[in-house]
Amino acid sequence: MANIIPIDPAQAALNSPIGLLRQVRDVMSAGAGSAQARLDVLVKTVATALHADVCSIYFARPGDILELFASHGLKQSSVHVTRLRVGEGLVGEIAATGLDLNLSEPQAHPKFVYRPETGEELYHSFIGVPLLHTHKTIGVLVVQSKAARTYTDDLAEILHAVAMVVSELAVGSKIVDLFDITGGEHPMLQSQQLSGTTLAGGIAKAPIVLHRPKIVIEKLVSDSPEEEEMRFHGALLTLQQSVDAMILQSGLEQGSVHHEILESYRMFSQDRGWIDRISEAIQAGLTAEAAVRKVQEEMHARLSQITSVYIQERVHDLEDLSERLLYHLQGVEPTAALGELPDAFILVANSLGPAELLEYDAKRLKGVILAEGGTTSHVAIIARMMDIPMVGRVENILNVVSRGDLAVVQGDQGLIYIRPSEDIEAAADAEIAARAWQVAVYAASRDLKPETLDGVRISLNLNLGLFVHADHLAANDVDGVGLFRTELPYLASRELPTVSDQQRIYKDALDKAKGKPVIFRSFDIGGDKQVPYIQIGDEENPAMGWRATRIGLDRPVIIRQQLRALVRAAAGEKLSVMFPFIAEVAEFDAMKALLNKELAKAREEGITPPTAVRVGTMLEIPSLLFQLPELMARVDFISIGSNDLFQFLFACDRGSPRMSGRYDTLNPIVMRAMKSIMAVANEYKVDVGFCGDMATRPVDAMALIGCGLRSLSMPPAAIGPIKAMLRSLNVRDLTSYLDYICTEPVHSLRLQLEGFAKDHGVDLS
Ligand code: PEP
Ligand code: MG
């Protein structure tokens, strides 16, 4: 057994770790000279600084191979010859586990494999660390000495810091090509086609902006560890305070799932092990940012070996926490909305809430790509109102794009092209031009009546709430606003809008409608539409929780302010109000009583009242289907909200990517529900509108007409295709066909209805 040297002879290097890191940085980023020359100097520099006999660098190659790229000390003839599989030998073991090996007598290790070409048998000590980048092991850095010794922790830390700088610069200067490593599939360079789920139709071509931009670390090596340590602790404190504030603000109950998640954030943000590791990396010469990223990569490598779902979730928490810490260190905004934005861009996000989407300038935002997202989630609804294509469930999207990459979003097909080739770009340009032409064709046919071939007049109305354009409302084929989502201005605002703010918004819509009816829906806050100024708290099922009318009835001050604003806005005009999320007739009565109070108050205050008031309700909770006669006896009109009605009829979360597409809106159950609503409404002579998203799809809208609906409401962009459909439809034929097919308990009637349209020349384009 060789003599073990207890004191590390590389101690000299510990006195100046920053000096070594600077040399490494300078060697790696030297513009001149081949990559090989730079690596040759690098290994010599490290070996010399650490008084080691050998320093070698292995890089990953396609097919899980590690190749010796440069060595000081091993036989030069083995460079680019010695290759090991991931998992094979000591180097392969480090790459496979993402963990260091620090050994005296490495030959005794069970994983040791003998490679005669390297001359390795002469060396009695070995330390190897992985080179990590973007959660991949891109190589291994090895130091060996003839004397048997165990390298100290301090030296291991220095080697880690060196590895961090080498990894960043090797990738940055393209010495290591991620493309090469992943076998020709360089995710960040290649043109790629990805598919997802259509959330909003249309096509757009523009450069990408990341909603939460990944921090790019410009400076790796520090000037002063003391200063970096101070910056780190300052940012850490801000992070810890922001987590505490999140816990406080959320008002979450102890023991609830969300509370536990936030608590685990708090735990991590105070975790000594995590903090110490970052400090050690700073002491080894890295900047605070580089140290955070280094520890993030190492923890990821270590923990991702463990398959437990619990641990994987914690890995995610840690990732998130590290990114937040980097944001605090760099003082940048956590979302791109408030930063500099190009004139046109496509937004990429993991997920996006409606309020977050509304923070972006609607004129510049051309399309949205989400890693998650369900078709009737409110963010998708807003995208459709804004007429911007949105594709969701593109799971890998954040791993393959950078800010500035050109992208094409083809909303209708749910397709995404990243860094498109010239022919895809040309095809996209052609489609954009064709769409513009189609829009012009619809615009030119605006004076044609929305009437079916057999003379049935269908009332077409708009779903609005934001971006109210007078010309949309003035069109001859639009009868009015079937759904004004009053909560959307609430979402776009950081505080509760005042009565006069609200009054201005509603008055503006009434003015632009020029006498056409506008149905205002009282606010539907809650569910996925959270606002900071109404604390909803943690709920297991927010869509079925404290939402809309439920909030209004529990907090009458807020809803009465809104009703007051509506009454005042409609002074001297007709007012139509409906209440969302009514589950029982008694709730409708209670809401109507509040409206009556506001009307009485206006009279008392001498405010000009509306000339007529029509009061209705959304029908979007199935319980109401069992009180239809009582409901119809009270309301002036109802509006069917299929987005919620469908999710509750089928117990199928409208925002869940997994559930989207599981059940079909053209299920006979839906048809039957529509027909029974229409039967009771006709008996009570109550107007029925339909404002759910189903009405935007020509074949679905056709089916609704077949069920007896005569008034549909939709975003402006849907009017053209829906009118083209109904103008080519014979309702009588459709009704009898639908009566015939909808008795079968099948999953969907879509194919039959599409077949009907084809056979009868109904335009479903
Ligand atoms: C609906 O539920 O169909 C509806 C129109 O309301 P929202 O989508 O705003 O919940
Ligand atoms: Mg709804």
Side-chain angles (χ1 to χ4, degrees), residues 487 489-497 525 531-535 558:
E487 66 277 3
Y490 280 57
L491 293 178
S493 143
R494 290 188 175 269
E495 36 195 60
L496 184 66
I525 300 293
V531 289
Y533 41 87
I534 302 179
Q535 295 298 319
I558 307 178

Side-chain angles (χ1 to χ4, degrees), residues 210-215 323 326-328 330-340 359 494:
L210 299 175
H211 175 56
R212 293 201 182 275
K214 195 160 171 77
I215 297 268
E323 286 299 317
L326 288 170
Y327 284 129
H328 288 303
Q330 301 222 326
V332 287
E333 277 300 325
T335 80
L338 302 175
E340 282 229 347
E359 278 184 351
R494 290 188 175 269

Side-chain angles (χ1 to χ4, degrees), residues 216-281:
V216 179
I217 300 173
E218 306 282 354
K219 192 171 170 202
L220 299 165
V221 182
S222 84
D223 295 326
S224 149
E226 291 68 38
E227 272 173 31
E228 294 301 316
E229 193 75 35
M230 269 167 55
R231 288 182 61 236
F232 165 54
H233 282 285
L236 183 66
L237 192 65
T238 320
L239 175 77
Q240 289 165 341
Q241 285 167 345
S242 74
V243 174
D244 287 347
M246 274 193 313
I247 293 178
L248 260 181
Q249 273 167 20
S250 65
L252 298 176
E253 276 176 37
Q254 294 248 344
S256 69
V257 177
H258 288 95
H259 189 270
E260 275 181 14
I261 290 174
L262 287 180
E263 278 297 348
S264 77
Y265 266 50
R266 170 144 66 189
M267 220 175 65
F268 276 130
S269 73
Q270 295 172 350
D271 182 76
R272 276 260 54 96
W274 183 58
I275 297 170
D276 288 350
R277 256 181 231 139
I278 296 173
S279 283
E280 280 161 16

Side-chain angles (χ1 to χ4, degrees), residues 426-455:
D429 290 339
E431 200 181 321
I432 289 168
R435 280 197 156 247
W437 181 79
Q438 184 69 57
V439 168
V441 170
Y442 288 140
S445 62
R446 301 243 55 166
D447 290 338
L448 298 176
K449 277 199 195 135
E451 198 173 84
T452 64
L453 287 178
D454 48 347

Side-chain angles (χ1 to χ4, degrees), residues 378 521 524 529 547 580-581 618 620 641 643-645 654:
H378 282 101
R521 176 177 80 178
D524 183 4
K529 291 182 277 192
R547 177 180 162 185
F581 224 58
M618 296 277 293
E620 51 188 349
N643 304 338
D644 278 311
L645 186 59
R654 66 192 267 182

Side-chain angles (χ1 to χ4, degrees), residues 67-90:
E67 179 177 312
L68 179 63
F69 260 62
S71 181
H72 171 83
L74 294 186
K75 284 185 184 159
Q76 287 307 299
S77 53
S78 61
V79 171
H80 295 298
V81 171
T82 296
R83 289 174 158 214
L84 294 151
R85 296 207 154 271
V86 170
E88 182 190 3
L90 301 179

